[in-house]
Amino acid sequence: PSTAMARVLVDELVSGGVTEVVLSPGSRSAALAIALADAEDRGDLRLHVRVDERSAGFLALGLAKVGGQPVAVVVTSGSAVANLAPAMVEASYAGVPVVAITADRPPELRDTGANQTIDQVGFFGSSVRWSHDLAVAEERVGQVRYWRSVVSRAIAVSAEQGDPGPVHVNVAFREPLVPSDDDSWVEPLGLASVTATLLVGTP
């Protein structure tokens, strides 16, 4: 499930016109990191890898400011999210379209007292134009449309004419966090399948 969700999220970023993504990798964001690397290999986007999340945030800010288009920054869970705060605040005041995608633990692992964990839901407060806590992937039909709609809205809000700025999508990943030998899914992951569903209706 985590792999399927990550692939769809990255594909929707590309479909939404995002061509620059900054990544600070970690274990919880492994599925996103793999999906982003695959997208770069296909030539769909340019991936910038930075170990330090604070640097990653400001690189995304700079790329978005110069390019005038939304740029995504992806980090793992815990204190990594907090390191994005300075860049998100600056993006808010400067009106720069930065899409922060933060990997998080699933609900059953939150508030358990584990090291390096924080409450990531709504973490950036009023510094973002919009935020959403994406639910854990479940193996059932209808998930792909939900994932795509969230990413599509995040991109649109970040680049809204007259009030552009940063947005935050918090993504809960449940193990396994890396692909398995069986990468089949209960419904097609491609954009075309979602369009077809919308045209004919959900069965």
Side-chain angles (χ1 to χ4, degrees), residues 1-3 5 10 15 17 22-23 27 31 56 74 78-79 84 93 95 101 113 132 150 170 181 195 197-200:
S2 292
T3 294
M5 178 166 63
V10 171
S15 298
V22 185
L23 168 69
S27 60
V74 178
S79 58
L84 289 181
Y93 280 97
I101 301 177
H132 183 82
V150 170
N170 191 58
D181 293 334
T195 303
T197 301
L198 292 174
L199 289 175
V200 302

Side-chain angles (χ1 to χ4, degrees), residues 148-165:
R148 288 189 179 276
S149 68
V150 170
V151 175
S152 178
R153 181 176 179 183
I155 296 170
V157 172
S158 72
E160 185 173 353
Q161 188 174 4
D163 190 30

